[in-house]
Amino acid sequence: MKTIKKLTLVLVATLMAATTFAQDKRNLDNYRSPDKNGINVFEAPKDTVSTFDGIKVRVGGASALQFQAINHENSGDVELIEIGDNFNLATANLDLDVALADGLRMHLRTYLSSRHHPEPYVKGGYMQIDNFNFLSEGFLAETMKYVTIKFGHMENNYGDAHFRRSDNAQAFFNPFVGNYIMDSFTTEVGGEIYFQKNGFLGMVGVSNGKLNQAVNRPKTTSPSLLMKLGYDKQMNDDLRVRLTGSLYHTAHSARVWLYAGDRAGSRYYLVMEEPDASSAGNFTSGRFNPSLNNQITAVMINPFIKYKGFEFFGMYERSEGKAASEEDTRVFTQLGAEALYRFGSTENFYIGGRFNQVSGELLGSGNDIDITRVNFGGGWFMTKNVLAKIEYVNQTYDGFATGDRFDEGKFNGLMVEAVISF
């Protein structure tokens, strides 16, 4: 009965979305399109032209399904769960985007089906202000040509990698199947103020540092500070250049969520897990959390270059902090590099590779560990709303102690993913 109920919800949401989209094919103002048009869009674009002519509701969504053919092994001291070749759980999202007034927009995303939760639940949402005409016509008009304000229980804008990650079923913007090893993603209550002019980007934000909201245990978590500076310019018809630097800082916390904020789950099901593992209970397979749970200062630098069909996205991340049980801080470094070539009449095909490495001092043992992943693959946009991907993934673990399940660990194999987004 639960399965039937869930499938019914997904079907009803899909029909509603298709109907609404057919009635009004325009996107909302200052909005990242959820289809192929949203590829390589980072922050929502800033436009001074308003098309508001009354409340408009855009119902959309996404669904994704993978076939996994991956093997894993380690030193043999710790038994790993037996895994085979088969389909993973199909995931689904439901999006509501509403133009409430001239310059005022709302976004809400619900996970209808995810690896970690069998029941639908809200991921988060926000209000976005691009002008104050809804308060008074022309109020602060010159300032708001360049300023955007966002607030809510929302995905925080730390780094650029989160714009290219798979968000449960919304996997259109990720050219590969999995996210980065240290998946810097969290949803916290807060606000962000943006300034965009002539390619220059500045953002300052603050959140309450909590993933799960509650009024108990006061003073255990300090606010988190977010900042981003960057430059993003289409230099000519062929060349686009972007470079950003981002900061996330929490002075003290009952739990830092920056690398543990994704409740939907990873794409590599049950890799490197022990025999009693379950897909829902062990939903972070293949990822790594450095356990800087009490204090953290993380910095991420992201270059992006697109020249004709060639595309490069890079990442350098340095995270320093500690757990509550530690006196001294530890440092983790994450490197990432993606090289893609998009081709076809509308760049509807692509091939490429990704390198990702995490290194640092492990909590408890003090061992210096390295985790390295290499992906090779490609994709085909069958339409602007349908994407098929295939990749080969190889991930290795070094420096883990004898008796650890990651000792001499590795997994590798093929992943195939189909994504619909509208």
Side-chain angles (χ1 to χ4, degrees), residues 130-291:
D130 282 287
N131 65 59
F132 287 114
N133 289 341
F134 62 94
L135 296 179
S136 177
E137 186 73 27
F139 180 61
L140 293 178
E142 286 301 312
T143 300
M144 296 307 292
K145 285 181 180 179
Y146 313 110
V147 173
T148 298
I149 301 170
K150 289 175 63 177
F151 57 92
H153 189 175
M154 62 185 184
E155 179 177 332
N156 301 137
N157 186 7
Y158 163 71
D160 283 352
H162 74 104
F163 291 115
R164 296 170 70 90
R165 72 186 296 277
S166 296
D167 185 20
N168 195 42
Q170 174 46 283
F172 236 60
F173 307 139
N174 186 349
F176 301 96
V177 177
N179 295 328
Y180 282 91
I181 297 170
M182 277 177 26
D183 188 18
S184 50
F185 167 90
T186 181
T187 52
E188 300 168 3
V189 173
E192 299 169 349
I193 301 175
Y194 295 80
F195 179 86
Q196 300 180 71
K197 184 179 181 181
N198 296 331
F200 290 97
L201 164 69
M203 184 278 292
V204 62
V206 64
S207 78
N208 70 345
K210 294 184 177 182
L211 183 78
N212 300 310
Q213 304 306 311
V215 297
N216 61 327
R217 301 182 67 189
K219 301 179 181 180
T220 58
T221 297
S222 64
S224 296
L225 173 67
L226 297 102
M227 297 182 68
K228 178 179 281 191
L229 290 173
Y231 183 77
D232 188 343
K233 190 75 170 180
Q234 189 73 43
M235 311 301 288
N236 53 50
D237 290 343
D238 295 329
L239 177 64
R240 177 184 172 191
V241 176
R242 176 182 169 99
L243 178 65
T244 64
S246 301
L247 169 74
Y248 180 98
H249 171 73
T250 301
H252 64 90
S253 177
R255 173 74 185 274
V256 172
W257 292 97
L258 183 59
Y259 302 108
D262 178 29
R263 292 155 290 167
S266 80
R267 286 296 197 249
Y268 305 122
Y269 280 54
L270 295 175
V271 296
M272 305 307 299
E273 300 290 357
E274 297 184 37
D276 60 348
S278 67
S279 293
N282 301 79
F283 64 96
T284 62
S285 309
R287 294 182 186 166
F288 179 78
N289 184 346
S291 299

Side-chain angles (χ1 to χ4, degrees), residues 28 39 63 66 93 150 169 173 195 243 340 396 415:
L28 305 174
I39 299 294
S63 59
Q66 308 86 40
N93 293 358
K150 289 175 63 177
F173 307 139
F195 179 86
L243 178 65
L340 302 176
T396 59
M415 295 287 297

Side-chain angles (χ1 to χ4, degrees), residues 333-350:
T333 301
Q334 177 165 221
L335 302 176
E338 299 178 12
L340 302 176
Y341 183 71
R342 300 184 186 271
F343 58 99
S345 58
T346 59
E347 293 192 350
N348 52 321
F349 298 94
Y350 68 86

Side-chain angles (χ1 to χ4, degrees), residues 19-76:
T19 301
T20 304
F21 192 64
Q23 291 173 346
D24 191 346
K25 294 185 179 181
R26 294 177 305 164
N27 280 332
L28 305 174
D29 294 337
N30 306 302
Y31 171 76
R32 183 187 190 185
S33 180
D35 55 24
K36 185 173 177 287
N37 293 328
I39 299 294
N40 293 330
V41 176
F42 294 85
E43 289 80 15
K46 181 68 176 179
D47 193 345
T48 58
V49 177
S50 173
T51 64
F52 183 79
D53 57 2
I55 291 179
K56 180 169 66 173
V57 179
R58 187 188 192 283
V59 184
S63 59
L65 177 64
Q66 308 86 40
F67 181 84
Q68 176 172 312
I70 289 179
N71 299 311
H72 62 176
E73 62 182 68
N74 60 12
S75 64

Side-chain angles (χ1 to χ4, degrees), residues 4 12 15 18 48 58 63 69 153 155 171 220 233 244 251 275 297-298 320 328 351 365 382 388 404:
I4 294 174
V12 170
L15 290 173
T48 58
R58 187 188 192 283
S63 59
H153 189 175
E155 179 177 332
T220 58
K233 190 75 170 180
T244 64
T297 299
E320 181 174 359
D328 299 324
I351 56 173
S365 69
M382 302 172 68
D404 193 305

